[in-house]
Amino acid sequence: AANNAWRSHIAASTTASAPLGSSSLAEEGYACEAADADAVLSSLSCSWRALLVGEESERLCQLVVAFERLEMADGAGAQLLAGPVTQALDATLHDLELACTRSSPARRQSAAARRSQADATARTAEWVARRRLEVLAAVVSYLSGKLRDYRGHYGASLDEMELAVAVWSQCIVALQPADATPAAAAAGLRVQAQQLIEASVVRHVKRVRLALS
């Protein structure tokens, strides 16, 4: 039921976010939301309770929709990264921070005491927490593929690359174990960044060799 609710909500959010007949994000610009997007999303909120969708689910849906638009973007990547993707990511990371606070040992006991009365809510929250990590991991995977050959993908578009690196870094840090120290998180980030740089250099050298051969 939760999976069906998730799919329905994303489909509805996508419909509200992209106007019919738009051929590409490059032609429409990143601000291609339908004129009645706010009204549609407001109407959707009336179904939250029945679909077991809460505010955290809604914000996560917005991140999924924004990132799907980024994947389909043709020349509007920097605008999307600077606007919808960053805004939705900031909201999702804020929810993640609050969720980590709620799951602290001092709060787990009180949550367990209330579980018999709010079992469905607890299961939904756990499901959303899993999906949140899956979405962040998907963002990392997609951007890693781009940054692994940043010369080929971004070329002279430094603004878009900087925004992509910022989003990628935020997601990497958010996916670190909850007990990881800031120093450990920073070290892990440096290692992965170095791997991406090395991979990109290798690809660039191969292109240069092919061009000269």
Side-chain angles (χ1 to χ4, degrees):
N3 276 311
N4 290 334
W6 177 260
R7 293 191 187 98
S8 299
H9 197 68
I10 289 180
S13 298
T14 305
T15 301
S17 298
L20 294 176
S22 60
S23 57
S24 74
L25 289 170
E27 294 174 4
E28 300 291 339
Y30 87 86
C32 65
E33 293 182 349
D36 60 348
D38 290 339
V40 172
L41 291 174
S42 177
S43 298
L44 286 173
S45 66
C46 298
S47 65
W48 283 1
R49 187 169 184 177
L51 295 174
L52 296 179
V53 173
E55 292 184 2
E56 290 186 14
S57 302
E58 165 69 12
R59 287 189 285 269
L60 186 56
C61 283
Q62 291 295 334
L63 175 58
V64 172
V65 170
F67 205 77
E68 285 181 346
R69 291 169 63 190
L70 175 65
E71 291 179 305
M72 296 183 294
D74 181 15
Q79 293 172 299
L80 283 164
L81 283 166
V85 172
T86 296
Q87 293 167 10
L89 178 61
D90 288 345
T92 297
L93 293 180
H94 179 66
D95 287 338
L96 177 60
E97 183 178 350
L98 292 179
C100 291
T101 302
R102 289 196 299 267
S103 65
S104 63
R107 302 211 172 195
R108 274 200 294 267
Q109 186 175 1
S110 60
R114 297 192 303 268
R115 189 164 295 150
S116 60
Q117 300 175 347
D119 191 48
T121 302
R123 287 200 303 270
T124 301
E126 292 173 1
W127 185 87
V128 170
R130 290 197 300 272
R131 289 295 180 272
R132 184 187 294 120
L133 294 179
E134 290 172 1
V135 170
L136 293 176
V139 172
V140 168
S141 178
Y142 175 81
L143 290 179
S144 292
K146 295 284 189 180
L147 294 172
R148 197 171 287 114
D149 187 13
Y150 58 83
R151 288 181 174 84
H153 286 292
Y154 298 112
S157 181
L158 296 180
D159 289 343
E160 183 177 356
M161 188 178 76
E162 288 177 0
L163 289 165
V165 170
V167 170
W168 175 83
S169 302
Q170 284 182 285
C171 293
I172 288 288
V173 172
L175 290 170
Q176 296 295 315
D179 58 350
T181 64
L189 182 62
R190 283 195 299 271
V191 169
Q192 295 197 48
Q194 185 63 36
Q195 291 172 344
L196 294 179
I197 292 171
E198 291 175 355
S200 183
V201 169
V202 169
R203 284 173 168 78
H204 184 63
V205 169
K206 286 182 178 180
R207 279 195 295 269
V208 172
R209 287 175 175 171
L210 287 173
L212 297 176
S213 61

